């Protein structure tokens, strides 16, 4: 069954005024002034309709907010605070495999990532070489997504010779999206290159893309392998790094070491970290809460 169209209130009023005008015309026809009375009444009806139309609300005829076809505004995550960033950090309970939280994760640095990219290897010139240099520098400095624009917090876990580092931070939204696109371009730009280290000899770096769990609003992952010498013998550093955007904030997880890239643990940390961050931004409190290490 088809529904009858809803007639706006101001048209009902206008119709009533028009009807009144016709009655006025009929009443005045006996004295020979029908035409004049009808014109006057019609003018009054049109003026009333214009006044009502001017008072009618503008915008969406359904009353829905702009961009919300369902009639309800889409909730946007709140801004990340310092306490919120700390609350969103992973705990040992979120990870499997005997990972132990450490208190000096912010000081972690791997000397195999120190060096200068050999520009001569790049047929496309210095542009791609610069991106590859930015990659190894970002991995070494743990700021692959750039400098946060707001609150940030960091924690780390260790399992034998492997490490897992997580950072939760707020960023400029446009800059963050650009950074994720930049990460996506690195496997092609930096497929394989040479890193010249001061006193450490040459190292071969390989970069490939890895999948990231379908969490957050956007995501990107990389696998980076560095082969060279360390502690007087051959060594291979394997790292997996993921970045997941949630609103204007992001979770970055880097895991691996000389024992491998710890793929399963990094994927688990990425998913749990993104879910904890979403809970915080939605005004909740994830459980369990991170502990303060002395």
């Amino acid at each position: 069954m088809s529904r009858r169209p809803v007639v706006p209130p101001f048209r009902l009023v206008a119709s009533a005024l028009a009807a009144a005008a016709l009655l006025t015309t009929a009443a005045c026809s006996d004295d020979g002034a029908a035409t004049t009375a009808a014109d006057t009444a019609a003018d009054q009806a049109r003026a009333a309709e214009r006044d009502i139309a001017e008072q009618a609300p503008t915008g969406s005829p359904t009353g829905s907010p702009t961009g919300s076809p369902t009639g309800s505004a889409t909730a946007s995550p709140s801004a990340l605070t310092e306490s919120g960033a700390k609350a969103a950090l992973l705990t040992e309970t979120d990870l499997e495999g005997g990972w132990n939280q450490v208190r000096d994760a912010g000081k972690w640095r791997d000397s195999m990532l120190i060096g200068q990219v050999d520009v001569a290897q790049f047929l496309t010139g210095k542009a791609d070489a610069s991106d590859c240099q930015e990659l190894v520098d970002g991995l070494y400095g743990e700021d692959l997504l750039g400098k946060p624009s707001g609150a940030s917090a960091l924690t780390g876990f260790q399992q034998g010779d492997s490490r897992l580092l997580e950072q939760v931070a707020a960023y400029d939204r446009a800059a963050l999206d650009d950074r994720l696109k930049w990460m996506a371009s690195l496997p092609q730009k930096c497929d394989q290159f040479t890193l010249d280290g001061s006193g450490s000899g040459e190292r071969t770096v390989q970069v490939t893309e890895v999948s990231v769990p379908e969490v957050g609003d956007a995501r990107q992952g990389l696998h980076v392998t560095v082969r060279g010498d360390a502690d007087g013998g051959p060594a291979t550093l394997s790292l997996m790094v993921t970045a997941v955007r949630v609103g204007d904030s992001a979770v970055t997880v880097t895991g691996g070491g000389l024992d491998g890239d710890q793929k399963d643990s990094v994927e688990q940390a990425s998913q749990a970290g993104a879910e904890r961050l979403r809970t915080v931004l939605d005004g909740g409190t994830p459980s369990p809460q991170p502990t303060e290490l002395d």
Side-chain angles (χ1 to χ4, degrees), residues 104-109 154 163:
D104 60 348
K107 299 178 181 179
W108 281 348
R109 297 292 184 272
L154 181 145
R163 295 172 174 175

Side-chain angles (χ1 to χ4, degrees), residues 1-292:
M1 178 186 297
S2 60
R3 299 177 58 187
R4 296 179 61 188
V6 178
V7 180
F10 73 85
R11 291 197 178 278
L12 293 175
V13 176
S15 298
L17 292 173
L22 293 176
L23 292 175
T24 303
T25 301
C28 297
S29 59
D30 293 339
D31 61 4
T35 301
T36 302
D39 291 344
T40 301
D43 290 342
Q44 292 174 344
R46 284 193 292 271
E49 185 174 0
R50 284 196 302 270
D51 291 341
I52 295 172
E54 290 174 357
Q55 296 174 9
T58 58
S60 172
T62 63
S64 302
T66 302
S68 177
T70 61
S72 61
T74 302
S76 58
S78 60
L80 185 67
T81 63
E82 291 290 344
S83 60
K86 292 179 181 178
L89 291 174
L90 294 168
T91 69
E92 291 180 355
T93 307
D94 295 308
L95 302 173
E96 298 176 357
W99 289 94
N100 299 310
Q101 189 175 11
V102 298
R103 62 172 176 265
D104 60 348
K107 299 178 181 179
W108 281 348
R109 297 292 184 272
D110 199 305
S111 60
M112 290 190 71
L113 294 168
I114 301 176
Q116 296 297 315
V117 173
D118 185 358
V119 181
Q121 290 186 326
F122 290 83
L123 298 177
T124 55
K126 296 183 178 180
D128 287 353
S130 177
D131 286 319
C132 302
Q133 186 69 59
E134 194 170 354
L135 167 63
V136 293
D137 290 345
L139 290 172
Y140 179 80
E142 300 296 350
D143 57 355
L144 197 62
L145 292 182
K147 184 179 179 180
S149 63
S152 66
L154 181 145
T155 190
F157 305 84
Q158 194 157 2
Q159 180 194 76
D161 290 333
S162 296
R163 295 172 174 175
L164 189 148
L165 186 79
E166 182 208 23
Q167 183 180 34
V168 176
Y171 298 88
D172 173 77
R173 173 67 171 274
L176 181 56
D177 283 339
D178 287 344
R179 205 64 178 173
L180 291 174
K181 292 177 182 178
W182 171 76
M183 284 182 63
S185 72
L186 294 179
Q188 181 176 357
K189 294 179 178 179
C190 307
D191 176 32
Q192 180 170 311
F193 60 93
T194 299
L195 193 65
D196 294 325
S198 176
S200 303
E202 293 184 348
R203 278 146 288 154
T204 301
V205 182
Q206 291 180 310
V207 182
T208 57
E209 184 177 9
V210 296
S211 61
V212 183
E214 292 289 328
V215 291
D217 302 318
R219 65 209 64 84
Q220 191 60 47
L222 296 172
H223 179 266
V224 180
T225 302
V226 184
R227 293 183 174 87
D229 291 330
D231 298 328
T236 299
L237 173 67
S238 295
L239 297 174
M240 178 174 171
V241 55
T242 64
V244 178
R245 178 177 69 76
V246 181
D248 294 339
S249 303
V251 176
T252 307
V253 177
T254 304
L258 299 179
D259 290 340
D261 61 13
Q262 301 296 329
K263 181 177 184 293
D264 291 342
S265 294
V266 172
E267 289 182 346
Q268 182 183 22
S270 300
Q271 180 162 352
E275 291 171 352
R276 290 179 68 90
L277 177 57
R278 177 75 73 182
T279 298
V280 168
L281 294 176
D282 287 344
T285 301
S287 180
Q289 279 293 286
T291 57
E292 292 290 342

